[in-house]
Amino acid sequence: MQSNETNGSPRVLISGAGFAGLTTAFWMRRLGYQATVVETGPGLKKGGTPVDIRDETIGIVERMGILDKIRAKALPPRATEFVNIDGGTDARMEAETPGADGTVRSYEIHRDDLLAILFAEVENDVELLFGNSIVELTDVPGGVRASFRDGSVRDFEIVLGCDGNHSAVRRLRFGPESDYSHFLKNYFTVAIVDDTFIAPDITRILSLPGRTLMLNSYENTTDIVLTFHADEEIAYDYHDADEQKRILRDRFAGAGAPFTDMVEKAETADNFYFDKLSQIKMPAWTTGRIALVGDAGYCASPAAGMGGSLAILGATALHDAFVAADGDIETAFADYERLLRPTVERIQTEAVDFGVAMFFPDTEEAIQTRNAYITGN
């Protein structure tokens, strides 16, 4: 950890040490800011499904100098099988292969590996405050005063909320999550287990009306993803994993194997994660000297398959806006919103129109329509 509080450079506080926070810290250091990253957890948050680095994000990680590191950790190409309860395969999407000129359109990398790559780029150049969080933000001349959970109070020129779908910065400055969260009528759980159930380098998806099981297989581990449809949001404690596991068991009761088997394996995993499928839609991502980056401002939901990429895109868009504005904060924030919003809206629309329909069909008709689309029938 390095702190540069006395070197006279402007100070930026970044809430969250995920993809958005670490990428933002990387770029703000490039702009000459002293960066402080505060993270509620005791360290980097581990677990989660792999991240796709594709399209313009490839160019960004190349600019950052980490493309070769991502290539070195990239997972083998994987096919996706859509199977039925009887064990048959209804549709299949083949693994993407390099183009005739050898170009690769995307890289898939484990979430933890990408986090480690990004963290290594900033850990010696930023101040890291793990096990802490922001509890109050107050405007002061020339910046923002942040009060922390540990009782400390500090001033910064800028505060950037990179703290995810349930952002504390968004709640403190823009209002409650319910004002911006759009429920996509599904809940999901993710767990990574040290076991294998199918051949490696395959994604297998089994859907019953309103319930889906997805397995991502690797050499020695498997991602278990379970989703279920819900017309209305379910009231539960975000911090109570036991309650979340009870909800999951209840919703898959009677579904039979392999659903119930995988529910049991998921709930005994030490990285169990449960949440609603939702998008964050806001009329503005900035106010005064505070801005939101990534899921905090424009979560597209896991249905987009773009969570990590969109965080990197957003952080880079903010950096580029600062460069174009010659460091003027007000102009940079305005350009950041104006230039990035069309991309965000496109990705969010695709997540609903394609992602939810593809991976979380809620009726038998929707399952058959999905399969026919894949097979071209």
Side-chain angles (χ1 to χ4, degrees):
M1 179 179 74
Q2 177 174 321
S3 177
N4 300 313
E5 284 194 65
T6 61
N7 68 8
S9 299
R11 300 170 301 277
V12 57
L13 173 62
I14 298 166
S15 179
F19 298 130
L22 296 178
T23 309
T24 298
F26 175 93
W27 287 123
M28 295 307 289
R29 287 292 296 148
R30 287 282 184 94
L31 292 170
Y33 277 79
Q34 301 173 48
T36 296
V37 178
V38 59
E39 166 59 50
T40 58
L44 298 179
K45 293 180 180 177
K46 304 292 186 177
T49 55
V51 178
D52 285 326
I53 301 296
R54 60 177 185 257
D55 303 327
E56 60 188 298
T57 314
I58 294 177
I60 291 173
V61 297
E62 188 170 22
R63 283 174 59 189
M64 296 174 69
I66 60 174
L67 179 56
D68 286 344
K69 295 177 182 178
I70 289 173
R71 283 188 180 128
K73 289 289 188 177
L75 295 165
R78 65 177 52 248
T80 301
E81 300 175 343
F82 295 85
V83 302
N84 55 53
I85 197 68
D86 297 321
T89 299
D90 293 326
R92 180 180 169 95
M93 298 168 61
E94 297 298 335
E96 185 177 283
T97 56
D101 59 355
T103 58
V104 176
R105 293 177 53 197
S106 68
Y107 299 93
E108 186 181 43
I109 180 173
H110 280 305
R111 184 183 184 279
D112 290 355
D113 287 339
L114 182 56
L115 270 181
I117 290 170
L118 290 170
F119 185 70
E121 293 296 313
V122 303
E123 63 175 323
N124 295 320
D125 297 316
V126 305
E127 181 184 18
L128 299 164
L129 305 177
F130 285 112
N132 208 344
S133 60
I134 304 168
V135 296
E136 187 176 5
L137 293 169
T138 306
D139 292 330
V140 295
V144 181
R145 180 163 296 156
S147 301
F148 295 90
R149 189 175 66 200
D150 66 0
S152 61
V153 179
R154 292 167 60 181
D155 289 355
F156 299 86
E157 275 75 11
I158 303 173
V159 173
L160 300 175
C162 306
D163 43 354
N165 196 17
H166 305 301
S167 168
V169 172
R170 185 184 62 228
R171 173 177 51 80
L172 290 170
R173 180 46 58 100
F174 296 86
E177 181 176 314
S178 57
D179 288 353
Y180 309 109
S181 179
H182 294 257
F183 181 49
L184 299 184
K185 297 187 180 298
N186 280 273
Y187 284 85
F188 71 98
T189 189
V190 178
I192 303 170
V193 298
D194 294 324
D195 204 349
T196 56
F197 314 108
I198 58 177
D201 305 323
I202 293 287
T203 291
R204 178 172 293 175
I205 297 174
L206 169 61
S207 294
L208 296 180
R211 291 183 284 199
T212 291
L213 165 66
M214 179 171 71
L215 301 176
N216 295 323
S217 65
Y218 311 101
E219 186 174 352
N220 300 306
T221 63
T222 304
D223 299 337
I224 299 174
V225 182
L226 291 146
T227 68
F228 64 83
H229 179 85
D231 286 324
E232 303 294 337
E233 292 193 43
I234 301 169
Y236 67 92
D237 184 349
Y238 287 111
H239 304 290
D240 189 340
D242 289 336
E243 181 183 13
Q244 296 162 27
K245 292 173 183 178
R246 285 195 298 272
I247 294 170
L248 186 68
R249 287 195 300 271
D250 290 346
R251 292 294 175 141
F252 280 91
F259 290 94
T260 49
D261 296 336
M262 293 302 149
V263 167
E264 182 178 347
K265 292 183 181 299
E267 68 178 353
T268 55
D270 59 8
N271 48 47
F272 176 89
Y273 178 81
F274 179 88
D275 205 349
K276 64 183 178 181
L277 202 67
S278 62
Q279 293 185 334
I280 298 296
K281 296 185 177 182
M282 304 181 67
W285 306 324
T286 66
T287 177
R289 294 292 187 94
I290 297 173
L292 304 175
V293 181
D295 282 354
Y298 34 85
C299 174
S301 86
M306 286 286 289
S309 286
L310 191 52
I312 293 171
L313 283 169
T316 307
L318 182 62
H319 164 269
D320 292 350
F322 265 91
V323 172
D326 196 24
D328 181 80
I329 296 171
E330 183 176 354
T331 302
F333 278 5
D335 287 348
Y336 163 62
E337 295 211 35
R338 177 177 57 84
L339 295 173
L340 184 61
R341 190 169 290 276
T343 298
V344 167
E345 291 177 349
R346 173 180 57 79
I347 292 171
Q348 289 188 328
T349 298
E350 290 173 354
V352 174
D353 294 347
F354 179 80
V356 173
M358 177 67 66
F359 299 110
F360 315 117
D362 60 345
T363 65
E364 182 61 34
E365 181 182 7
I367 294 171
Q368 297 305 321
T369 298
R370 187 267 315 273
N371 294 343
Y373 173 83
I374 296 168
T375 59
N377 296 327

